[in-house]
Amino acid sequence: MSTSDATTDRILALACERFDRPPGSLSAEDDLFQSLGIDSMQALDLMTRLEETFDVEIPDYELQGVSTFADLAALVRRRQ
Amino acid sequence: MSAAAGATFEGEALRWAPDGDVLVVTLHREPGNALGLTALAELEALVAHVGAGAGGARALLFTSTARAGFCEGAALKELYTDLVARRAAGEAAGDTLAAVRSFIDRIHAVFDALDQAPMTTVAALHGVVFGGGFELALTCDVLIADKGARFAFPELRLGLIPGFGGVPRLRRDVGNAVVRDLLLSGRSLSATRAHELGLVSQVVARGEALPAALALAKQAARFAPHTVAAAKRFTKPLPEGLDAEKALFCELFGSPVVLEALARFAADTSALPYLPSERVPS
């Protein structure tokens, strides 16, 4: 089942741009932390940019339960 | 220290130099300006310099050159290594606690002096403003943050509360509900949210906190010093609860949970090391 939607697409585009990945190289079911290989600083930066982009507040502890970009999109939608 | 404390200073953790009437204090210890004994000694030298007239400066500005941000907080790995060495050397728990108490007393003396400095103090904030770094920022009169700054009190993961005066100072500026949310969840706040809550006075684009803070500090430095000092006394008294916080911090520090938590933190390589992903033992 495809989990692609506007929120997921915006997050994927943001992640590609922010972490220097070719456009379209990430997909909704990719593991967020594994595919980006990000450290704690970058995780905080991603969280801040998501909050700015979607005008939501994302508590760090909810990010702990996220593994894929689709999970992250679901978290953002719950906060909108 | 590599230079005598004077008009300019170059230390291992911080440096200062005048920019017109503003004394600019720069934290520059990579990776994240952790506050340990070296930083404490240099902050004590700064307080002595300010107490001696700050070389004629009429405002003070804190900034950081660290990529990670303003300050990640207390030097926890240094603290853990020191504690393990003390235990290995057979030091009694009571002596270890006395050393911690001495450190906390010194930090409080420095932060109280900065808080009450008779000139306008401004913090230019970016990136991580966590734990003791958040507490240092809270001593300042005006906080200016770029959009990438994040604020957190992650101390509960270590079995502790913030010990550098952070909770009483945060409570001075924002509602107690916000204090409890940050303290009891350990989550971080964005600069935008901190601005909405009244904790941060100005939010600027990434990389623009220092010029914005310097512009404010230079404006503030134009006012008569005695008027500024009076205005500060009127609007920013030392908060209640500082001594109670010290006592509670030292009481909690005596628990074996703290050493175990420090060991876990020192070994943690997760993306969110400031938040425990499992239960902390009772």
Side-chain angles (χ1 to χ4, degrees):
Chain A
M1 185 181 77
S2 170
T3 52
S4 185
D5 57 52
T7 304
T8 311
D9 290 345
R10 283 183 77 186
I11 292 173
L12 290 169
L14 191 152
C16 285
E17 181 191 342
R18 183 70 193 97
F19 298 107
D20 295 325
R21 304 300 160 98
S25 63
L26 298 170
S27 67
E29 297 306 324
D30 280 346
D31 184 292
L32 172 65
F33 294 105
Q34 210 167 42
S35 61
L36 295 176
I38 58 179
D39 60 22
S40 59
M41 281 301 306
Q42 292 168 315
L44 283 171
D45 180 64
L46 178 63
M47 194 159 63
T48 304
R49 288 175 191 275
L50 286 171
E51 290 181 332
E52 285 173 11
T53 301
F54 294 100
D55 193 23
V56 294
E57 188 169 22
I58 303 173
D60 318 44
Y61 49 83
E62 292 206 12
L63 206 59
Q64 285 177 322
V66 165
S67 57
T68 68
F69 287 100
D71 294 339
L72 186 57
L75 170 58
V76 168
R77 282 193 296 271
R78 286 199 300 274
R79 288 272 162 182
Q80 283 178 314
Chain B
M1 291 176 219
S2 59
T8 65
F9 172 79
E10 181 72 33
E12 290 179 40
L14 57 94
R15 72 173 70 97
W16 67 72
D19 183 334
D21 286 331
V22 180
L23 183 67
V24 178
V25 181
T26 305
L27 309 178
H28 63 85
R29 193 174 208 182
E30 294 286 352
N33 290 320
L35 297 175
L37 287 169
T38 300
L40 173 57
E42 293 178 5
L43 285 168
E44 287 175 331
L46 172 65
V47 165
H49 180 55
V50 170
R58 294 168 66 155
L60 188 150
L61 187 159
F62 273 103
T63 184
S64 155
T65 55
R67 187 186 75 88
F70 179 70
C71 177
E72 67 185 15
L76 296 173
K77 288 179 182 171
E78 175 187 309
L79 178 64
Y80 174 65
T81 304
D82 181 59
L83 281 175
V84 169
R86 284 171 180 272
R87 294 289 163 87
E91 183 178 272
D95 292 337
T96 305
L97 208 53
V100 169
R101 176 77 199 206
S102 167
F103 180 80
I104 290 295
D105 283 342
R106 287 174 61 194
I107 278 276
H108 269 254
V110 165
F111 280 26
D112 289 357
L114 292 172
D115 191 295
Q116 298 295 296
M119 62 179 68
T120 300
T121 58
V122 186
L125 306 169
H126 74 282
V128 167
V129 189
F130 277 17
F134 191 6
E135 296 175 283
L136 175 60
L138 286 167
T139 68
C140 293
D141 304 331
V142 183
L143 276 60
I144 297 181
D146 83 15
K147 284 187 177 176
R150 294 199 77 91
F151 304 81
F153 277 142
E155 283 82 358
L156 258 69
R157 79 191 188 285
L158 300 173
L160 294 169
I161 61 163
F164 300 174
V167 167
R169 286 197 173 87
L170 184 61
R171 199 160 48 201
R172 177 173 61 184
D173 291 338
V174 303
N176 207 25
V178 176
V179 176
R180 287 196 302 273
D181 178 2
L182 286 181
L183 183 65
L184 298 177
S185 76
R187 75 186 181 99
S188 63
L189 278 184
S190 69
T192 303
R193 184 72 181 124
H195 185 228
E196 289 167 356
L197 292 168
L199 163 62
V200 163
S201 301
Q202 298 180 31
V203 178
V204 296
R206 284 175 171 79
E208 295 297 325
L210 177 55
L214 190 57
L216 188 147
K218 286 187 173 180
Q219 173 59 45
R222 294 182 184 126
F223 298 122
H226 75 276
T227 315
V228 170
K232 277 191 64 166
R233 283 195 302 274
F234 182 58
T235 58
K236 192 175 168 238
L238 271 183
E240 293 180 2
L242 291 166
D243 286 340
E245 181 207 78
K246 278 196 284 189
L248 180 54
F249 181 90
C250 290
E251 177 191 326
L252 291 169
F253 204 95
S255 164
V257 168
V258 173
L259 198 60
E260 293 167 22
L262 282 171
R264 270 196 309 278
F265 175 77
D268 195 341
T269 57
S270 69
L272 300 172
Y274 53 94
L275 282 176
S277 55
E278 297 174 354
R279 289 175 68 195
V280 175
S282 302

